[in-house]
Amino acid sequence: MTPNSHGVETLQVQRFNKTESESVLDNIVQEHPIALVYNGISHAVMMATPTDIDLFAKGFSLSEGILKSLKELYALDIHQNELGTTVEMTISSRAFTALKEHRRMMVGRTGCGLCGIESLEQFHLDIPKITTQASRAWLEQIPNAISQLKNQQEITALTGGAHAAAWVVDGQILALFEDVGRHNALDKLLGYLAQQNYDTSLGFVVMTSRASYELIRKCAQLNIGLLASISAPTSMAIRLAKKSGLTLASFCRGDGFVLYTEVENTKNNG
């Protein structure tokens, strides 16, 4: 499948209903290999929807701690062929030295979900402290933000197969990105926020997925104070949210949600 700018492919399929069937066109969300290369060294191949590839690469670089800011990214070039997409990035010597050290620790660690982490203690310590404090007002804005999601999810409307990550300020969605992978959708959003130089203390993130630990880590890297997810959180996500100071609200549906971490002025007021 050749990637397109819309992230959607149309295929001929056979649709069955009891004893009847018909040949119809169906929209399929694209899943595509994207290789991320830093100063000539391939670091990761991610399976993602091939939209907003530059923002995805920037967001991944920031949320994974490879770059401290986009000032350390000197060049970004995207190349496509029949095998997939390669994003070649030129980064600062400081960032590249840190990346090579991270890769050295990864050698020999096959099949691990936390490559480069040498101990359980390091896993729990390796998350930034968030200085942005979520407010009661932000919690009150969650239902309004959730109600806006459906009309802005273009890929999901066509395919039913994408996650979305949205940036909310004053209860309004200002930006939304979609991807077959929830962490990829978040990386695209984070790349956009960094590129636009948004002040992340002014808003929060809403996601259509469950809240897992990697989403907490990525938000913490950009000092985002509140993550609201439509589906359930995992136990590790809750632990890391509490440790980092991130406010986590999940099962955000309709007018309700469940708060898994404390927010100022909520402890004694429901």
Side-chain angles (χ1 to χ4, degrees):
M1 294 183 181
T2 302
N4 58 54
S5 59
H6 306 294
V8 177
E9 187 116 358
T10 302
L11 298 177
Q12 194 81 30
V13 299
Q14 199 74 10
R15 180 166 293 162
F16 287 81
N17 182 15
K18 294 185 178 180
T19 59
E20 299 179 353
S21 67
E22 61 177 337
S23 181
V24 297
L25 291 176
D26 196 14
N27 293 313
I28 311 296
V29 62
Q30 286 194 315
E31 188 174 29
H32 183 78
I34 300 177
L36 302 175
V37 179
Y38 298 89
N39 291 8
I41 294 181
S42 181
H43 176 67
V45 177
M46 307 296 292
M47 298 304 297
T49 302
T51 58
D52 303 297
I53 294 175
D54 60 330
L55 297 179
F56 167 62
K58 292 173 182 177
F60 177 91
S61 302
L62 292 166
S63 71
E64 293 296 320
I66 297 170
L67 302 178
K68 290 185 176 180
S69 75
L70 290 184
K71 293 180 180 179
E72 293 190 303
L73 178 61
Y74 300 152
L76 186 153
D77 297 296
I78 300 173
H79 306 280
Q80 295 180 346
N81 58 39
E82 66 277 5
L83 298 177
T85 299
T86 298
V87 184
E88 295 186 0
M89 288 171 277
T90 303
I91 61 177
S92 72
S93 57
R94 184 219 62 81
F96 190 52
T97 298
L99 177 62
K100 287 191 292 184
E101 177 63 17
H102 178 72
R103 286 178 56 81
R104 183 192 66 77
M105 291 192 297
M106 288 173 63
V107 173
R109 301 177 186 274
T110 58
C112 66
L114 293 164
C115 293
I117 301 296
E118 294 183 308
S119 67
L120 293 176
E121 289 78 10
Q122 185 179 355
F123 169 70
H124 285 282
L125 291 173
D126 187 32
I127 185 167
K129 290 288 187 179
I130 295 170
T131 60
T132 298
Q133 296 298 313
S135 66
R136 182 64 180 253
W138 282 4
L139 297 181
E140 294 171 352
Q141 294 167 12
I142 290 175
N144 187 53
I146 295 295
S147 70
Q148 299 170 47
L149 282 171
K150 186 176 181 180
N151 291 336
Q152 299 196 37
Q153 294 176 251
E154 296 180 359
I155 294 177
T156 298
L158 290 172
T159 69
H163 289 295
W167 179 243
V168 180
V169 176
D170 294 330
Q172 301 299 313
I173 291 178
L174 300 188
L176 182 146
F177 293 87
E178 294 179 276
D179 197 280
V180 69
R182 60 188 184 278
H183 46 86
N184 298 333
L186 180 57
D187 277 335
K188 291 176 180 179
L189 176 64
L190 298 181
Y192 173 79
L193 296 178
Q195 180 173 279
Q196 298 298 317
N197 200 29
Y198 270 93
D199 183 349
T200 56
S201 70
L202 299 180
F204 59 93
V205 170
V206 169
M207 296 202 63
T208 60
S209 66
R210 71 178 185 273
S212 50
Y213 80 90
E214 70 269 29
L215 303 184
I216 304 299
R217 286 182 171 277
K218 288 177 180 293
C219 285
Q221 285 286 352
L222 273 76
N223 197 37
I224 289 169
L226 168 64
L227 172 64
S229 69
I230 285 182
S231 297
T234 66
S235 60
M236 184 56 70
I238 296 170
R239 292 191 191 100
L240 290 183
K242 290 180 177 179
K243 191 168 189 65
S244 67
L246 181 144
T247 298
L248 177 61
S250 294
F251 292 111
C252 301
R253 302 167 185 173
D255 292 330
F257 56 86
V258 179
L259 188 64
Y260 289 89
T261 53
E262 292 183 3
V263 175
E264 186 178 359
N265 297 327
T266 63
K267 191 170 183 180
N268 299 316
N269 295 290

